Each structure stands twice: as C-alpha cells, then as structure tokens.
Amino acid sequence: QVQLVESGGGLVLAGGSLRLSCAVPGRTFSGYAMGWFRQAPGKEREFVASISWRGGTTDIGDTVKGRLTISKDNAKNTVYLQMNSLKPEDTAVYYCAAKLRENWNWNYWGQGTQVTVSS
C-alpha cells in the first residue's frame, strides 16, 4: 500500500501561482512514476502531469503545457506541481497518483487538494 499526502492547495487570483506537494510518508517510493490529475465540478478527471521516479522523464497535459511543471525530490519522497499563470479554468480538485509499473494503471491516489482560481 502506498499512501499519498497532498498539500499546497488554496485560493489564488488569476495570474497567480501555487505549488502543490505530494509526499509518500514513512517509506521510500520505489515505483515507476508519480503524477497529478484534476477534476473540476461536472467534468471528468483530467491528466495534468507525470514524472518517472528514476529517470525524471516528464509528461505534461496539453491544456496546462507551458504553465505547469512537475518535479520531484527523491530524498524527500515528494513530487511537486508548480502552477504559474493560473486561470479560473484551472479550478479543480487536484489529485496525486502513483504508478508502480510502467504499463500498469495509476494504482494509488491521494485524497485531493482544492485549487480555486478567482478572476
């Protein structure tokens, strides 16, 4: 079992920035990748970004490319989502996820953290 604990959400004005964190407490993460998804009210969950845990290869969703970046700190077992130039349409619950093997589904999910961008 992999527990994921998110933090860093909140309310921000359009154009502002936030940094989300997702930690794996109490153990060393040894899976394939960690990532971020988001879900806005009335919409399906959307892929935001992912990063491979060993090589650091990143994948960024088309709707956020150029504004959001993903990074990791292996020593802290933590992945970050830096969000810049935020727009009201970025308002959603952001979920951290972990994938243990490359061709597996995203196996583990955090509880989610709310990001609200006001215009």
Side-chain angles (χ1 to χ4, degrees):
Q1 190 73 11
V2 177
Q3 183 185 10
L4 304 174
V5 180
E6 300 121 330
S7 60
L11 174 64
V12 64
L13 293 174
S17 299
L18 279 177
R19 189 177 80 157
L20 306 183
S21 300
C22 175
V24 183
R27 61 177 289 173
T28 299
F29 181 69
S30 58
Y32 175 73
M34 293 181 70
W36 291 93
F37 292 74
R38 68 185 184 184
Q39 188 166 20
K43 295 188 177 181
E44 294 186 353
R45 189 170 293 188
E46 174 188 21
F47 170 78
V48 175
S50 66
I51 186 165
S52 64
W53 200 245
R54 290 187 179 180
T57 301
T58 61
D59 186 18
I60 308 296
D62 290 339
T63 57
V64 301
K65 198 165 291 184
R67 299 186 298 116
L68 276 61
T69 57
I70 189 169
S71 62
K72 63 182 177 69
D73 185 331
N74 290 58
K76 295 182 178 180
N77 290 302
T78 300
V79 65
Y80 304 97
L81 184 68
Q82 178 65 44
M83 304 188 294
N84 299 325
S85 302
L86 284 164
K87 305 175 181 179
E89 51 263 44
D90 293 317
T91 295
V93 178
Y94 284 71
Y95 296 91
C96 178
K99 177 187 292 193
L100 298 186
R101 298 292 183 266
E102 182 175 6
N103 58 347
W104 287 11
N105 292 327
W106 293 94
N107 311 84
Y108 299 98
W109 295 85
Q111 79 283 358
T113 185
Q114 177 71 46
V115 172
T116 303
V117 184
S118 64
S119 57

